[in-house]
Amino acid sequence: MINLKDFNYPELEKWVRKQGWKKFRAKQLSKWIYTKKAGSYDEMTDLSKEIRSYLKDNTKLNAVELITYEKSKEDGSIKLLWRLEDGHTVETVFIPEKDHYTLCVSTQVGCAVGCTFCFTTKDGLIRNLTTAEIVDQYIQTQRFVGLDKRISNVVFMGMGEPLANYDNVKKAVQIMTDERMLGLSNRKITISSSGIIHQIKRMYEDPSFPQVRLAVSLNASDQKTREEIMPISQTNSIEDLMETLNSLPMKTGYRIMLEYVLIKDINDRPEDAHKLARLIGKNKKRFKVNLIPFNPFPGSPYQRPDEERVNRFHKILWQYNIGAFVRWSKGKDISAACGQLRKKEIANKSVQFTKKESLEMN
Ligand code: SAH
Ligand code: SF4
């Protein structure tokens, strides 16, 4: 059965016409689904009973169902765990920031890339998420936290490699940025990739891929170290990756975010910071660096560097006039590494289901 959230606007219109309905039904449906975030067809009161009953029998509206959530006492971020139709689970993180709300969405169940510091990839890739499953993480979270807390920013930094699920991610971004649908600003959407060069090029050359921001998980400043922790580097070398990033056509005001997970004694030494600065070279304005202290997880082979080491690394980059920021993971008390709430649920079925009524938002 089709899910209406799998359609971008032109597809929705086409489908509506195929049913023999007038074109404006697409606008009505879009308003209910994306503006009002309706949870059922019964709420769509300006559609006739016949149409509603046809929709109920022939289409699906929702794609993810909340199983449980955890709210951080430290910073108010909320990690939500969803059940998909086939029983698999994925996570989303809702992050209140100073003056806006950000959502971190997943794009795959698991991940095939195999980075050694990442929990998501432990069981490999199970499957790609559908467009509806990506978009519905946004809509269901928005319903959960309340429509007054409008989520303006979306980062594709949850479970999975977005560019390995190119078509579904592209359509999700189309739905998110279409003014007739979710209507988010392109500038407030960031896609994070482990650095699959041909897919990054493809995205930039694809006229139907809305121009959003790019983040790349660099995580090392030389080929040897990067290969050790990110096997993708064997076929997408750090040199080729940097050359590609340096030659992408950049929209004014956009910078590429280089993500760098700091792992104790692996890539966090002062000499690594100097090497990173040299790798970035003259083109400093093109990049900004996001330093993410490693989040340990049960059985992980690595350690998080202490604050002093993180600060030293940070300071060296600033000495080169490179814009660098430390991102102490949000909701450390609830989330740790990405994919952990999911693991907890699988390992221990007793994770408490928390009722919405008891959620205190502040
Ligand atoms: N697959 C994409 C997006 C999801 S991962 C990518 O790799 O970019 C999002 C970010 O989380 C990446 O920058 C990744 O390096 C980081 N990450 C993964 N595991 C982590 C861990 N255990 N601690 C800290 N950051 C981690
Ligand atoms: Fe996949 Fe990103 Fe994790 Fe690497 S860091 S295994 S690409 S989710």
Side-chain angles (χ1 to χ4, degrees):
M1 205 186 276
I2 60 153
N3 189 312
L4 292 187
K5 287 173 185 147
D6 272 323
F7 292 144
N8 61 20
Y9 201 84
E11 288 170 346
L12 180 64
E13 239 176 29
K14 201 165 148 200
W15 182 81
V16 158
R17 294 297 280 267
K18 220 173 101 197
Q19 311 313 308
W21 304 338
K22 296 246 164 63
K23 218 164 97 176
F24 78 95
R25 296 287 179 205
K27 210 165 156 190
Q28 275 181 323
L29 277 171
S30 204
K31 183 191 76 186
W32 284 110
I33 299 173
Y34 296 107
T35 314
K36 301 198 183 239
K37 285 136 188 115
S40 73
Y41 291 121
D42 293 328
E43 295 169 41
M44 306 185 179
T45 45
D46 57 2
L47 295 177
S48 68
K49 275 221 174 83
E50 292 74 47
I51 288 190
R52 269 190 272 164
S53 120
Y54 180 84
L55 289 171
K56 247 189 249 177
D57 293 344
N58 296 287
T59 69
K60 274 181 297 189
L61 182 60
N62 299 322
V64 305
E65 188 193 348
L66 187 65
I67 301 178
T68 186
Y69 69 86
E70 288 180 349
K71 185 178 175 192
S72 164
K73 290 190 181 65
E74 275 175 37
D75 57 26
S77 61
I78 303 171
K79 192 154 201 173
L80 305 107
L81 182 73
W82 312 103
R83 192 196 325 273
L84 312 175
E85 210 177 26
D86 59 4
H88 288 304
T89 53
V90 290
E91 299 179 358
T92 303
V93 187
F94 171 80
I95 308 158
E97 313 220 40
K98 228 191 272 153
D99 53 3
H100 65 269
Y101 298 103
T102 297
L103 198 69
C104 174
V105 298
S106 294
T107 56
Q108 297 183 310
V109 184
C111 181
V113 177
C115 306
T116 57
F117 51 83
C118 177
F119 201 73
T120 299
T121 194
K122 285 284 166 268
D123 300 323
L125 173 68
I126 296 171
R127 69 168 172 88
N128 282 336
L129 294 191
T130 63
T131 296
E133 286 164 341
I134 300 170
V135 170
D136 214 21
Q137 292 173 57
Y138 178 98
I139 293 178
Q140 300 303 335
T141 305
Q142 188 70 85
R143 281 170 62 84
F144 181 75
V145 299
L147 299 196
D148 56 319
K149 299 184 177 62
R150 183 175 180 267
I151 302 161
S152 57
N153 295 47
V154 175
V155 293
F156 286 76
M157 292 184 187
M159 297 163 58
E161 166 54 49
L163 296 186
N165 184 11
Y166 188 91
D167 293 334
N168 295 345
V169 166
K170 169 171 146 182
K171 211 194 281 181
V173 176
Q174 289 171 340
I175 292 169
M176 286 175 180
T177 53
D178 194 316
E179 285 190 351
R180 299 162 295 186
M181 300 182 119
L182 284 175
L184 303 180
S185 157
N186 289 31
R187 304 186 158 263
K188 295 184 176 172
I189 295 181
T190 303
I191 291 184
S192 174
S193 171
S194 55
I196 309 173
I197 293 172
H198 73 277
Q199 291 294 71
I200 293 176
K201 286 186 177 158
R202 180 178 168 201
M203 179 172 118
Y204 273 78
E205 284 161 9
D206 184 345
S208 59
F209 205 120
Q211 290 190 15
V212 293
R213 291 181 192 268
L214 175 67
V216 173
S217 297
L218 194 63
N219 297 336
S221 54
D222 62 73
Q223 176 63 14
K224 188 168 165 285
T225 313
R226 192 164 193 267
E227 247 179 58
E228 261 170 41
I229 60 176
M230 299 186 76
I232 187 118
S233 214
Q234 290 160 13
T235 44
N236 294 260
S237 77
I238 197 165
E239 290 80 16
D240 292 348
L241 178 61
M242 288 309 289
E243 198 185 306
T244 304
L245 298 183
N246 272 306
S247 61
L248 293 175
M250 295 300 287
K251 242 176 122 170
T252 342
Y254 275 36
R255 282 179 177 218
I256 298 170
M257 183 200 285
L258 298 176
E259 296 167 282
Y260 195 105
V261 177
L262 283 164
I263 309 172
K264 192 173 169 202
D265 297 328
I266 303 285
N267 62 4
D268 69 334
R269 292 156 302 189
E271 68 216 60
D272 295 313
H274 290 289
K275 260 194 289 178
L276 178 58
R278 282 198 291 276
L279 192 67
I280 292 172
K282 282 201 280 284
N283 223 348
K284 286 173 201 161
K285 288 247 152 57
R286 175 169 281 253
F287 302 103
K288 69 181 179 203
V289 178
N290 225 322
L291 300 170
I292 316 166
F294 171 68
N295 252 321
F297 49 86
S300 68
Y302 304 121
Q303 285 170 318
R304 169 189 280 240
D306 60 31
E307 216 171 319
E308 200 190 310
R309 271 175 94 98
V310 172
N311 290 341
R312 190 171 53 185
F313 198 98
H314 188 194
K315 218 165 141 190
I316 294 172
L317 295 179
W318 274 107
Q319 283 162 359
Y320 284 92
N321 277 323
I322 291 168
F325 303 87
V326 181
R327 189 168 51 143
W328 292 101
S329 311
K330 293 278 177 180
K332 253 185 289 171
D333 54 331
I334 56 161
S335 60
C338 67
Q340 280 212 22
L341 183 60
R342 170 169 169 260
K343 206 66 183 180
K344 209 156 105 189
E345 165 74 5
I346 293 166
N348 166 16
K349 291 285 178 205
S350 72
V351 173
Q352 275 274 303
F353 184 82
T354 336
K355 285 221 173 66
K356 185 174 179 182
E357 289 77 54
S358 65
L359 179 76
E360 279 170 50
M361 293 295 302
N362 40 42

